[in-house]
Amino acid sequence: MTLDISKIRNDFPILNQQVYNKPLVYLDSAASSQKPLQVLKKEEQLHLEYYGNIHRGAHFLADKATVEFEGVRDLVQDFINASSREEIVFTKGTTESINLVASSFGDAFVTEGDEIIISEMEHHANIVPWQLLAQRKGATIKVLPFLDSGELQIEKLDELITEKTKLISVAHVSNVLGTVNPIKKIIKQAHESGVKVLIDGAQAVKHMAVDVLDLDADFYVFSAHKMYGPNGVGVLYGKKEILEQMPPYQGGGEMISEVKFGGTTFNELPYKFEAGTPNISSVIAFGEAIKYLQNLGIKEVTAYENKLLGYATEKLQQIPGMIIYGTHHCKTGVITFNIDGIHSFDLGTMLDKMGIAVRTGRLCADPVMDHYKVQSTVRISFAVYNTTEEVDIFVEALKKLVVMLA
Ligand SMILES: Cc1ncc(COP(=O)(O)O)c(C=O)c1O
């Protein structure tokens, strides 16, 4: 079944507007995607009809909100094929999910002299929490490098993994290079040495089907706002037997079973990791984002976005001075580039005035910038609502700017 993109675009009213008297071309979905009406309406409906605090209310509103909230946990479980709903922990986002694991798994399992492996292409959210853990524990961070093409050098894992390695944490899809990493292979190799693996799926979940059971991932983390859902909500998937051995991350209401001044017992999974009132409305609306993607069909979405990526890449390669970072054939979602002799910020500013929203800068990935020895870049990124016509508008704008600015 092919997707009806003009119908899809009608689901995203924000796209149908002019900025600076030009039709908006939104090419920044890797930073945050726009939300379909279904998501926006759900949040409004909750607040108009049945908002109440969850898990603790003895009244109709709280009960209904609780049922809906917990229903989203089931939806997430199904969406990533987890074996149980207890393995789905709601967080603020990918960043908090990684910090939770770094803190809690780190406290339980990482000791002085241990090693954690991350890759050279990680977002800062998958670097800094491990550095903080390493500082706290006297552990070491080791880095798996990538080639200029954007391909991870996974053959180097052999020498990087030692008997001291406790965890490998790596992106499923790079937010700069778009590389789809061979995470199943990495996980298999890690497990052969008894090493656990966290996958940062922030840039993967809206582009491709994710099956945590098939991957055998120990942890898989992502954010709702990058997959058509609200901001302020993320997911930590963790294997039950590992989560059970991990201490709580934060203390407070909800995460306890019984509190005495002499000592407290903790709630069962997943509530042990959900202290305090969660982002009720955003979690409930997130359920609609999942349904929206499932309704479109994730396979159709992948095929369409890959077509867009191929189309845009071919057009961009024809622009004089174009340097694309990340040319691996296994790629999705983003194109990061510079044009020789033109500052990326100038490009971003001028494109904005032409109605085109892109991301510029270091993309929260300093080590990738250092790899290519660049100060900053321009990134365009796609979602299912983008069109080849928008790519054409963008490419024509870029051609004009090359003449103006070079
Ligand atoms: C690969 C990757 N990891 C982590 C993050 C952090 O996500 P969040 O800001 O939603 O916590 C991002 C955000 O851009 C990302 O692209």
Side-chain angles (χ1 to χ4, degrees), residues 30-31 93-96 98 123 125 171 173-175 200 202-203 223 225-226:
T94 306
T95 303
E96 191 180 49
I98 297 174
H123 186 282
V173 173
S174 157
N175 65 310
D200 173 356
Q203 294 296 342
S223 301
H225 72 99
K226 292 186 194 287

Short mmCIF file of all heavy atoms in Angstrom, two decimals, residues 30-31 93-96 98 123 125 171 173-175 200 202-203 223 225-226, ligand 1:
data_model
loop_
_atom_site.label_atom_id
_atom_site.label_comp_id
_atom_site.label_asym_id
_atom_site.label_seq_id
_atom_site.Cartn_x
_atom_site.Cartn_y
_atom_site.Cartn_z
N ALA A 30 14.29 15.56 12.89
CA ALA A 30 15.20 14.81 13.76
C ALA A 30 15.34 15.53 15.10
O ALA A 30 15.58 14.90 16.13
CB ALA A 30 16.56 14.63 13.10
N ALA A 31 15.20 16.87 15.07
CA ALA A 31 15.24 17.62 16.34
C ALA A 31 13.94 17.35 17.09
O ALA A 31 13.93 17.01 18.27
CB ALA A 31 15.41 19.10 16.06
N GLY A 93 12.38 11.40 28.60
CA GLY A 93 12.90 11.34 27.24
C GLY A 93 14.13 10.44 27.18
O GLY A 93 14.53 9.85 28.19
N THR A 94 14.71 10.37 26.00
CA THR A 94 15.90 9.54 25.81
C THR A 94 16.99 9.90 26.82
O THR A 94 17.62 9.02 27.41
CB THR A 94 16.45 9.75 24.38
OG1 THR A 94 15.39 9.51 23.45
CG2 THR A 94 17.61 8.84 24.09
N THR A 95 17.19 11.21 26.98
CA THR A 95 18.26 11.66 27.88
C THR A 95 18.05 11.12 29.29
O THR A 95 18.99 10.60 29.91
CB THR A 95 18.30 13.21 27.91
OG1 THR A 95 18.47 13.68 26.58
CG2 THR A 95 19.40 13.73 28.80
N GLU A 96 16.82 11.24 29.78
CA GLU A 96 16.58 10.75 31.14
C GLU A 96 16.69 9.22 31.20
O GLU A 96 17.19 8.67 32.19
CB GLU A 96 15.22 11.19 31.70
CG GLU A 96 15.15 10.87 33.18
CD GLU A 96 13.86 11.27 33.85
OE1 GLU A 96 12.79 10.94 33.32
OE2 GLU A 96 13.93 11.88 34.93
N ILE A 98 18.69 7.33 29.52
CA ILE A 98 20.11 6.94 29.57
C ILE A 98 20.70 7.28 30.94
O ILE A 98 21.44 6.48 31.53
CB ILE A 98 20.91 7.62 28.43
CG1 ILE A 98 20.39 7.14 27.07
CG2 ILE A 98 22.42 7.30 28.56
CD1 ILE A 98 21.00 7.84 25.86
N HIS A 123 25.32 10.94 20.23
CA HIS A 123 24.75 12.21 20.70
C HIS A 123 25.31 12.45 22.11
O HIS A 123 25.59 11.50 22.83
CB HIS A 123 23.24 12.05 20.74
CG HIS A 123 22.45 13.28 21.07
ND1 HIS A 123 22.32 13.77 22.35
CD2 HIS A 123 21.73 14.12 20.28
CE1 HIS A 123 21.55 14.85 22.33
NE2 HIS A 123 21.19 15.09 21.09
N ALA A 125 23.91 13.04 24.69
CA ALA A 125 23.08 12.34 25.70
C ALA A 125 23.56 10.92 25.94
O ALA A 125 23.24 10.32 26.97
CB ALA A 125 21.62 12.32 25.26
N ALA A 171 24.14 4.17 19.42
CA ALA A 171 22.93 4.62 18.73
C ALA A 171 22.47 3.60 17.70
O ALA A 171 23.30 3.00 17.01
CB ALA A 171 23.20 5.95 18.03
N VAL A 173 20.45 4.67 15.21
CA VAL A 173 20.65 5.54 14.04
C VAL A 173 21.34 6.82 14.52
O VAL A 173 20.90 7.42 15.50
CB VAL A 173 19.30 5.89 13.37
CG1 VAL A 173 19.48 6.93 12.28
CG2 VAL A 173 18.61 4.64 12.82
N SER A 174 22.39 7.22 13.80
CA SER A 174 23.11 8.44 14.18
C SER A 174 22.31 9.67 13.81
O SER A 174 21.81 9.79 12.68
CB SER A 174 24.46 8.48 13.47
OG SER A 174 24.93 9.82 13.39
N ASN A 175 22.23 10.64 14.74
CA ASN A 175 21.47 11.87 14.47
C ASN A 175 22.22 12.80 13.52
O ASN A 175 21.66 13.77 13.04
CB ASN A 175 21.14 12.61 15.78
CG ASN A 175 22.37 13.12 16.48
OD1 ASN A 175 23.32 12.38 16.69
ND2 ASN A 175 22.38 14.38 16.87
N ASP A 200 20.45 3.41 21.89
CA ASP A 200 19.79 4.71 21.84
C ASP A 200 18.98 4.76 20.54
O ASP A 200 19.52 4.95 19.45
CB ASP A 200 20.86 5.81 21.88
CG ASP A 200 20.27 7.19 21.65
OD1 ASP A 200 19.06 7.30 21.38
OD2 ASP A 200 21.05 8.17 21.72
N ALA A 202 16.62 6.93 19.72
CA ALA A 202 15.94 8.23 19.52
C ALA A 202 15.68 8.53 18.05
O ALA A 202 14.62 9.05 17.69
CB ALA A 202 16.75 9.35 20.16
N GLN A 203 16.65 8.21 17.19
CA GLN A 203 16.48 8.56 15.77
C GLN A 203 15.99 7.38 14.94
O GLN A 203 15.96 7.46 13.71
CB GLN A 203 17.82 9.07 15.20
CG GLN A 203 18.27 10.38 15.79
CD GLN A 203 17.32 11.55 15.48
OE1 GLN A 203 16.50 11.48 14.57
NE2 GLN A 203 17.44 12.61 16.24
N SER A 223 12.50 8.77 22.60
CA SER A 223 11.67 9.92 23.01
C SER A 223 10.41 9.98 22.17
O SER A 223 10.47 9.80 20.95
CB SER A 223 12.43 11.24 22.78
OG SER A 223 13.63 11.27 23.50
N HIS A 225 8.74 12.70 21.40
CA HIS A 225 8.63 13.90 20.55
C HIS A 225 9.34 13.76 19.21
O HIS A 225 9.18 14.59 18.33
CB HIS A 225 9.15 15.14 21.28
CG HIS A 225 10.64 15.19 21.44
ND1 HIS A 225 11.45 15.93 20.61
CD2 HIS A 225 11.48 14.58 22.32
CE1 HIS A 225 12.71 15.79 20.98
NE2 HIS A 225 12.76 14.98 22.01
N LYS A 226 10.14 12.72 19.07
CA LYS A 226 10.80 12.50 17.77
C LYS A 226 9.99 11.52 16.91
O LYS A 226 10.39 11.17 15.81
CB LYS A 226 12.22 11.99 17.97
CG LYS A 226 13.15 13.05 18.60
CD LYS A 226 14.56 12.56 18.66
CE LYS A 226 15.43 13.41 19.56
NZ LYS A 226 15.77 14.72 18.99
C1 LIG B 1 20.55 9.97 18.85
C2 LIG B 1 19.97 10.83 19.92
N1 LIG B 1 20.08 10.46 21.19
C3 LIG B 1 19.56 11.18 22.20
C4 LIG B 1 18.89 12.35 21.95
C5 LIG B 1 18.31 13.12 23.10
O1 LIG B 1 16.91 13.07 23.04
P1 LIG B 1 16.01 13.92 24.04
O2 LIG B 1 16.48 15.35 23.93
O3 LIG B 1 14.62 13.73 23.53
O4 LIG B 1 16.22 13.38 25.40
C6 LIG B 1 18.76 12.81 20.64
C7 LIG B 1 18.09 14.08 20.34
O5 LIG B 1 18.32 14.70 19.34
C8 LIG B 1 19.30 12.02 19.59
O6 LIG B 1 19.19 12.39 18.33
#
